[in-house]
Amino acid sequence: MSIPTVCVDGVVQRWEDLRLQDFAQGFFFGAGFFTTFRIDAGRPLFLARHLSRLRSSLAAFPTAVRAPEPALLHEDAVRDSLRRCLEADSWMGPRFTGVGKLVVSDGHVLCTFRPLAADFEALHREGRTLDSVEAGAYRRAERTVNHKGLAWFRQHALLPRLPIITNEADEVCELPTANLFVQLDGALVTPPLDSPCLPGIARGVLLEVGRIEGLAVVERAVRLADLSRAQACFFSNAVALAVGVPHLLGRTLPDSLRLAERARAVLEARALHEG
């Protein structure tokens, strides 16, 4: 379910009033970038980090995507736009909790909203089983995977199964919507960016924090075979923050839900600190 109130370049309007010609580059060619973030009681989590990643993606592909005016991606401007959207929509209101999405393409910034998924709380409580692998789908150092682009067909096609994606060397990369963290050899390990994988916002925060439940959080290659030795596992993204994996490729990992809960607490505390 999409919410009909949107914002284009700071102007609040209705979804049905968007003009296709303003987004032709993104619509016809998938040339653009997006970021999805959680909103808690009207407060966007890690907004500065999301905007920084968008700016980095635009800088990495300067000839492929027409960037908006820099002022449109200034944190204060985006916060003001979000606030006015929430206040303008009677269904959302200023204390809205849900999901925001920023899209940059065609020289514009589009912001849309949606509610949290119906199973959001159950996902945290029960976790998610990961029981399939998309082998060799990525290539090492494939740099497009490091950016959240509109041409997202490969990942979108894999969403129903939510498989573990590996590269040609049988190294773990990511999930279609999330980064993976595995407790291995006394550390909490996540694959490196050149595996490749998306530099997820939650992933970056956990690496900065450096330790969860006494485990050092480190970035290093994880072979698919290593998962048979995992003691716990969770995946992270900017909306769910951290989701435990109680069953990983046929193995039961009873500590995963507790580890994910601790990671969520760390992420929520950091989000509150960052404002």
Side-chain angles (χ1 to χ4, degrees), residues 77-122:
V78 175
R79 285 187 184 277
D80 181 63
S81 297
L82 292 172
R83 177 187 58 79
R84 288 185 288 107
C85 280
L86 300 187
E87 291 176 350
D89 191 293
S90 59
W91 189 89
M92 289 192 292
R95 300 286 294 172
F96 172 71
T97 291
V99 181
K101 181 176 181 179
L102 285 170
V103 177
V104 291
S105 118
D106 299 87
H108 296 294
V109 179
L110 169 65
C111 183
T112 61
F113 304 89
R114 71 173 190 266
L116 292 171
D119 64 347
F120 185 77
E121 292 185 4

CSV table of all heavy atoms in Angstrom, one decimal, residues 77-122:
chain,number,residue,atom,x,y,z
A,77,ALA,N,16.7,20.4,4.5
A,77,ALA,CA,15.6,20.6,3.5
A,77,ALA,C,14.8,19.3,3.4
A,77,ALA,O,13.5,19.4,3.3
A,77,ALA,CB,16.2,20.9,2.1
A,78,VAL,N,15.4,18.2,3.5
A,78,VAL,CA,14.7,16.9,3.4
A,78,VAL,C,13.8,16.7,4.7
A,78,VAL,O,12.6,16.3,4.6
A,78,VAL,CB,15.6,15.7,3.2
A,78,VAL,CG1,14.9,14.4,3.3
A,78,VAL,CG2,16.3,15.9,1.9
A,79,ARG,N,14.4,17.0,5.8
A,79,ARG,CA,13.6,16.9,7.1
A,79,ARG,C,12.3,17.8,7.0
A,79,ARG,O,11.2,17.4,7.4
A,79,ARG,CB,14.4,17.3,8.3
A,79,ARG,CG,15.4,16.2,8.7
A,79,ARG,CD,16.1,16.6,10.0
A,79,ARG,NE,17.1,15.6,10.3
A,79,ARG,CZ,16.9,14.4,10.9
A,79,ARG,NH1,15.6,14.1,11.3
A,79,ARG,NH2,17.9,13.6,11.2
A,80,ASP,N,12.5,19.0,6.5
A,80,ASP,CA,11.4,19.9,6.4
A,80,ASP,C,10.3,19.4,5.4
A,80,ASP,O,9.1,19.5,5.7
A,80,ASP,CB,11.9,21.3,5.9
A,80,ASP,CG,10.7,22.3,5.8
A,80,ASP,OD1,10.1,22.6,6.9
A,80,ASP,OD2,10.4,22.8,4.7
A,81,SER,N,10.8,18.8,4.3
A,81,SER,CA,9.8,18.2,3.3
A,81,SER,C,9.0,17.1,4.0
A,81,SER,O,7.8,16.9,3.8
A,81,SER,CB,10.6,17.8,2.1
A,81,SER,OG,11.2,18.8,1.4
A,82,LEU,N,9.8,16.2,4.7
A,82,LEU,CA,9.1,15.1,5.3
A,82,LEU,C,8.1,15.6,6.3
A,82,LEU,O,6.9,15.1,6.4
A,82,LEU,CB,10.1,14.2,6.1
A,82,LEU,CG,11.1,13.4,5.2
A,82,LEU,CD1,12.2,12.8,6.1
A,82,LEU,CD2,10.4,12.4,4.4
A,83,ARG,N,8.4,16.5,7.1
A,83,ARG,CA,7.5,17.1,8.1
A,83,ARG,C,6.2,17.6,7.5
A,83,ARG,O,5.1,17.3,7.9
A,83,ARG,CB,8.2,18.2,8.9
A,83,ARG,CG,7.3,18.9,10.0
A,83,ARG,CD,8.0,20.0,10.6
A,83,ARG,NE,8.4,21.0,9.6
A,83,ARG,CZ,7.6,21.9,9.1
A,83,ARG,NH1,6.3,21.9,9.4
A,83,ARG,NH2,8.0,22.8,8.2
A,84,ARG,N,6.4,18.4,6.4
A,84,ARG,CA,5.2,19.0,5.7
A,84,ARG,C,4.3,17.9,5.1
A,84,ARG,O,3.1,18.0,5.1
A,84,ARG,CB,5.7,20.0,4.7
A,84,ARG,CG,6.2,21.3,5.4
A,84,ARG,CD,6.5,22.4,4.4
A,84,ARG,NE,7.7,22.1,3.7
A,84,ARG,CZ,7.8,21.8,2.4
A,84,ARG,NH1,6.6,21.6,1.7
A,84,ARG,NH2,8.9,21.5,1.8
A,85,CYS,N,5.0,16.8,4.6
A,85,CYS,CA,4.2,15.7,4.0
A,85,CYS,C,3.3,15.1,5.1
A,85,CYS,O,2.1,14.8,4.9
A,85,CYS,CB,5.1,14.7,3.4
A,85,CYS,SG,5.7,15.2,1.7
A,86,LEU,N,3.9,14.8,6.2
A,86,LEU,CA,3.2,14.1,7.3
A,86,LEU,C,2.1,14.9,7.8
A,86,LEU,O,1.0,14.5,8.1
A,86,LEU,CB,4.2,13.7,8.4
A,86,LEU,CG,5.4,12.8,8.1
A,86,LEU,CD1,6.1,12.4,9.4
A,86,LEU,CD2,4.9,11.6,7.3
A,87,GLU,N,2.3,16.2,7.9
A,87,GLU,CA,1.3,17.1,8.4
A,87,GLU,C,0.2,17.3,7.4
A,87,GLU,O,-1.0,17.5,7.8
A,87,GLU,CB,1.9,18.5,8.8
A,87,GLU,CG,2.8,18.5,10.0
A,87,GLU,CD,3.5,19.8,10.2
A,87,GLU,OE1,3.4,20.7,9.4
A,87,GLU,OE2,4.1,19.9,11.3
A,88,ALA,N,0.5,17.2,6.1
A,88,ALA,CA,-0.5,17.4,5.1
A,88,ALA,C,-1.4,16.2,4.9
A,88,ALA,O,-2.5,16.3,4.3
A,88,ALA,CB,0.2,17.8,3.8
A,89,ASP,N,-1.0,15.0,5.3
A,89,ASP,CA,-1.8,13.8,5.1
A,89,ASP,C,-2.5,13.4,6.4
A,89,ASP,O,-1.8,13.0,7.4
A,89,ASP,CB,-0.9,12.7,4.6
A,89,ASP,CG,-1.6,11.5,4.1
A,89,ASP,OD1,-2.3,10.8,4.9
A,89,ASP,OD2,-1.6,11.2,2.9
A,90,SER,N,-3.8,13.4,6.4
A,90,SER,CA,-4.5,13.1,7.6
A,90,SER,C,-4.4,11.7,8.1
A,90,SER,O,-4.5,11.4,9.3
A,90,SER,CB,-6.0,13.4,7.4
A,90,SER,OG,-6.6,12.6,6.3
A,91,TRP,N,-4.1,10.8,7.1
A,91,TRP,CA,-3.9,9.4,7.5
A,91,TRP,C,-2.6,9.2,8.2
A,91,TRP,O,-2.5,8.4,9.2
A,91,TRP,CB,-3.9,8.5,6.3
A,91,TRP,CG,-3.9,7.0,6.6
A,91,TRP,CD1,-5.0,6.2,6.8
A,91,TRP,CD2,-2.8,6.2,6.8
A,91,TRP,NE1,-4.7,4.9,7.1
A,91,TRP,CE2,-3.3,4.9,7.1
A,91,TRP,CE3,-1.4,6.3,6.7
A,91,TRP,CZ2,-2.5,3.8,7.3
A,91,TRP,CZ3,-0.6,5.3,6.9
A,91,TRP,CH2,-1.1,4.0,7.2
A,92,MET,N,-1.5,9.9,7.8
A,92,MET,CA,-0.2,9.8,8.4
A,92,MET,C,-0.1,10.6,9.7
A,92,MET,O,0.0,10.1,10.8
A,92,MET,CB,0.9,10.2,7.4
A,92,MET,CG,1.1,9.2,6.3
A,92,MET,SD,2.6,9.5,5.4
A,92,MET,CE,2.3,11.0,4.5
A,93,GLY,N,-0.2,11.9,9.5
A,93,GLY,CA,0.0,12.8,10.7
A,93,GLY,C,1.4,12.9,11.1
A,93,GLY,O,2.3,12.2,10.7
A,94,PRO,N,1.7,13.9,12.0
A,94,PRO,CA,3.1,14.2,12.4
A,94,PRO,C,3.7,13.1,13.2
A,94,PRO,O,5.0,13.1,13.3
A,94,PRO,CB,2.9,15.5,13.2
A,94,PRO,CG,1.5,15.6,13.6
A,94,PRO,CD,0.7,14.9,12.6
A,95,ARG,N,3.0,12.2,13.7
A,95,ARG,CA,3.6,11.1,14.5
A,95,ARG,C,3.6,9.8,13.7
A,95,ARG,O,3.6,8.7,14.3
A,95,ARG,CB,2.8,10.9,15.8
A,95,ARG,CG,2.7,12.1,16.7
A,95,ARG,CD,4.0,12.3,17.4
A,95,ARG,NE,4.3,11.3,18.4
A,95,ARG,CZ,5.5,11.2,19.0
A,95,ARG,NH1,6.5,12.0,18.8
A,95,ARG,NH2,5.7,10.2,19.9
A,96,PHE,N,3.6,9.9,12.4
A,96,PHE,CA,3.5,8.7,11.6
A,96,PHE,C,4.7,7.7,11.8
A,96,PHE,O,5.9,8.2,12.0
A,96,PHE,CB,3.6,9.1,10.1
A,96,PHE,CG,3.7,8.0,9.1
A,96,PHE,CD1,2.7,7.1,8.9
A,96,PHE,CD2,4.9,7.9,8.4
A,96,PHE,CE1,2.9,6.1,7.9
A,96,PHE,CE2,5.1,6.9,7.4
A,96,PHE,CZ,4.0,6.0,7.2
A,97,THR,N,4.4,6.5,11.9
A,97,THR,CA,5.4,5.4,11.9
A,97,THR,C,5.3,4.5,10.7
A,97,THR,O,4.2,4.0,10.4
A,97,THR,CB,5.3,4.5,13.2
A,97,THR,OG1,5.7,5.3,14.3
A,97,THR,CG2,6.2,3.3,13.1
A,98,GLY,N,6.3,4.4,9.9
A,98,GLY,CA,6.2,3.7,8.6
A,98,GLY,C,7.5,3.8,7.9
A,98,GLY,O,8.6,3.8,8.5
A,99,VAL,N,7.4,3.8,6.6
A,99,VAL,CA,8.6,3.7,5.7
A,99,VAL,C,8.6,4.9,4.7
A,99,VAL,O,7.6,5.2,4.1
A,99,VAL,CB,8.6,2.4,4.9
A,99,VAL,CG1,9.9,2.3,4.0
A,99,VAL,CG2,8.6,1.2,5.9
A,100,GLY,N,9.7,5.6,4.6
A,100,GLY,CA,9.9,6.6,3.6
A,100,GLY,C,10.9,6.1,2.5
A,100,GLY,O,11.7,5.3,2.8
A,101,LYS,N,10.7,6.7,1.3
A,101,LYS,CA,11.6,6.3,0.2
A,101,LYS,C,12.0,7.6,-0.5
A,101,LYS,O,11.1,8.3,-0.9
A,101,LYS,CB,10.9,5.3,-0.7
A,101,LYS,CG,11.8,4.8,-1.9
A,101,LYS,CD,11.1,3.8,-2.7
A,101,LYS,CE,11.9,3.3,-3.8
A,101,LYS,NZ,11.3,2.2,-4.6
A,102,LEU,N,13.2,7.8,-0.7
A,102,LEU,CA,13.7,8.9,-1.5
A,102,LEU,C,14.3,8.4,-2.8
A,102,LEU,O,15.1,7.5,-2.8
A,102,LEU,CB,14.8,9.7,-0.7
A,102,LEU,CG,14.4,10.6,0.4
A,102,LEU,CD1,15.6,11.0,1.2
A,102,LEU,CD2,13.6,11.8,-0.1
A,103,VAL,N,13.9,9.0,-3.9
A,103,VAL,CA,14.4,8.6,-5.2
A,103,VAL,C,15.0,9.8,-5.9
A,103,VAL,O,14.4,10.9,-5.9
A,103,VAL,CB,13.2,8.1,-6.1
A,103,VAL,CG1,13.7,7.8,-7.5
A,103,VAL,CG2,12.6,6.8,-5.5
A,104,VAL,N,16.2,9.7,-6.4
A,104,VAL,CA,16.8,10.8,-7.1
A,104,VAL,C,17.0,10.3,-8.6
A,104,VAL,O,17.6,9.3,-8.8
A,104,VAL,CB,18.1,11.2,-6.5
A,104,VAL,CG1,17.9,11.9,-5.1
A,104,VAL,CG2,19.1,10.1,-6.3
A,105,SER,N,16.5,11.1,-9.5
A,105,SER,CA,16.7,10.9,-10.9
A,105,SER,C,16.1,12.1,-11.7
A,105,SER,O,15.3,12.8,-11.1
A,105,SER,CB,16.0,9.6,-11.3
A,105,SER,OG,15.0,9.7,-12.2
A,106,ASP,N,16.6,12.3,-12.9
A,106,ASP,CA,16.0,13.3,-13.8
A,106,ASP,C,16.2,14.7,-13.1
A,106,ASP,O,15.4,15.6,-13.4
A,106,ASP,CB,14.6,13.1,-14.1
A,106,ASP,CG,14.3,11.8,-14.8
A,106,ASP,OD1,14.1,10.8,-14.2
A,106,ASP,OD2,14.3,11.8,-16.1
A,107,GLY,N,17.1,14.9,-12.3
A,107,GLY,CA,17.3,16.2,-11.6
A,107,GLY,C,16.3,16.5,-10.5
A,107,GLY,O,16.3,17.6,-10.0
A,108,HIS,N,15.6,15.4,-10.1
A,108,HIS,CA,14.5,15.6,-9.1
A,108,HIS,C,14.7,14.7,-7.9
A,108,HIS,O,15.5,13.7,-7.9
A,108,HIS,CB,13.1,15.3,-9.7
A,108,HIS,CG,12.7,16.2,-10.8
A,108,HIS,ND1,12.5,17.5,-10.6
A,108,HIS,CD2,12.5,15.9,-12.1
A,108,HIS,CE1,12.1,18.1,-11.8
A,108,HIS,NE2,12.1,17.1,-12.7
A,109,VAL,N,14.1,15.1,-6.8
A,109,VAL,CA,14.0,14.3,-5.6
A,109,VAL,C,12.6,14.0,-5.3
A,109,VAL,O,11.8,14.9,-5.0
A,109,VAL,CB,14.7,15.0,-4.3
A,109,VAL,CG1,14.6,14.1,-3.1
A,109,VAL,CG2,16.1,15.4,-4.6
A,110,LEU,N,12.2,12.7,-5.3
A,110,LEU,CA,10.9,12.3,-5.0
A,110,LEU,C,10.8,11.5,-3.7
A,110,LEU,O,11.7,10.6,-3.5
A,110,LEU,CB,10.4,11.3,-6.2
A,110,LEU,CG,9.1,10.6,-5.9
A,110,LEU,CD1,7.9,11.5,-5.8
A,110,LEU,CD2,8.9,9.5,-7.0
A,111,CYS,N,9.9,11.9,-2.8
A,111,CYS,CA,9.8,11.2,-1.6
A,111,CYS,C,8.4,10.6,-1.5
A,111,CYS,O,7.4,11.3,-1.8
A,111,CYS,CB,10.0,12.1,-0.4
A,111,CYS,SG,9.9,11.3,1.2
A,112,THR,N,8.3,9.3,-1.2
A,112,THR,CA,7.0,8.6,-1.0
A,112,THR,C,7.0,7.9,0.3
A,112,THR,O,8.0,7.7,1.0
A,112,THR,CB,6.8,7.5,-2.2
A,112,THR,OG1,7.9,6.6,-2.1
A,112,THR,CG2,6.8,8.2,-3.5
A,113,PHE,N,5.8,7.4,0.7
A,113,PHE,CA,5.6,6.8,2.0
A,113,PHE,C,4.8,5.5,1.9
A,113,PHE,O,4.0,5.4,1.0
A,113,PHE,CB,4.9,7.8,2.9
A,113,PHE,CG,5.6,9.1,3.1
A,113,PHE,CD1,5.3,10.1,2.2
A,113,PHE,CD2,6.6,9.3,4.1
A,113,PHE,CE1,5.9,11.4,2.3
A,113,PHE,CE2,7.2,10.5,4.2
A,113,PHE,CZ,6.9,11.6,3.3
A,114,ARG,N,5.0,4.6,2.8
A,114,ARG,CA,4.1,3.4,3.0
A,114,ARG,C,4.1,3.0,4.4
A,114,ARG,O,5.0,3.3,5.2
A,114,ARG,CB,4.6,2.3,2.0
A,114,ARG,CG,5.9,1.6,2.5
A,114,ARG,CD,6.2,0.4,1.6
A,114,ARG,NE,7.3,-0.4,2.1
A,114,ARG,CZ,8.5,-0.3,1.7
A,114,ARG,NH1,8.9,0.7,0.8
A,114,ARG,NH2,9.5,-1.0,2.2
A,115,PRO,N,3.1,2.3,4.8
A,115,PRO,CA,3.0,1.7,6.2
A,115,PRO,C,4.1,0.6,6.4
A,115,PRO,O,4.6,0.0,5.4
A,115,PRO,CB,1.6,1.2,6.3
A,115,PRO,CG,0.9,1.4,5.1
A,115,PRO,CD,1.9,1.9,4.1
A,116,LEU,N,4.4,0.3,7.6
A,116,LEU,CA,5.2,-0.9,7.9
A,116,LEU,C,4.4,-2.2,7.4
A,116,LEU,O,3.2,-2.2,7.4
A,116,LEU,CB,5.5,-1.0,9.3
A,116,LEU,CG,6.4,0.0,9.9
A,116,LEU,CD1,6.4,-0.1,11.5
A,116,LEU,CD2,7.8,-0.1,9.4
A,117,ALA,N,5.1,-3.2,7.0
A,117,ALA,CA,4.5,-4.4,6.6
A,117,ALA,C,3.7,-5.0,7.7
A,117,ALA,O,4.0,-4.9,8.9
A,117,ALA,CB,5.6,-5.4,6.2
A,118,ALA,N,2.6,-5.7,7.4
A,118,ALA,CA,1.7,-6.3,8.4
A,118,ALA,C,2.4,-7.3,9.3
A,118,ALA,O,2.0,-7.4,10.4
A,118,ALA,CB,0.6,-7.0,7.6
A,119,ASP,N,3.5,-7.9,8.8
A,119,ASP,CA,4.2,-8.9,9.6
A,119,ASP,C,5.4,-8.3,10.3
A,119,ASP,O,6.3,-9.1,10.7
A,119,ASP,CB,4.5,-10.1,8.8
A,119,ASP,CG,5.5,-9.8,7.7
A,119,ASP,OD1,5.8,-8.6,7.4
A,119,ASP,OD2,6.1,-10.7,7.1
A,120,PHE,N,5.5,-7.0,10.4
A,120,PHE,CA,6.7,-6.4,10.9
A,120,PHE,C,7.1,-6.9,12.3
A,120,PHE,O,8.2,-7.3,12.5
A,120,PHE,CB,6.6,-4.9,10.9
A,120,PHE,CG,7.8,-4.1,11.2
A,120,PHE,CD1,8.8,-3.9,10.3
A,120,PHE,CD2,7.9,-3.5,12.5
A,120,PHE,CE1,10.0,-3.2,10.7
A,120,PHE,CE2,9.0,-2.8,12.9
A,120,PHE,CZ,10.1,-2.6,11.9
A,121,GLU,N,6.1,-6.8,13.2
A,121,GLU,CA,6.4,-7.2,14.6
A,121,GLU,C,6.7,-8.7,14.7
A,121,GLU,O,7.6,-9.2,15.4
A,121,GLU,CB,5.3,-6.9,15.5
A,121,GLU,CG,5.1,-5.4,15.7
A,121,GLU,CD,4.0,-5.0,16.7
A,121,GLU,OE1,3.5,-5.9,17.3
A,121,GLU,OE2,3.8,-3.8,16.9
A,122,ALA,N,6.0,-9.5,13.9
A,122,ALA,CA,6.2,-11.0,13.9
A,122,ALA,C,7.6,-11.3,13.4
A,122,ALA,O,8.2,-12.3,13.8
A,122,ALA,CB,5.1,-11.7,13.1
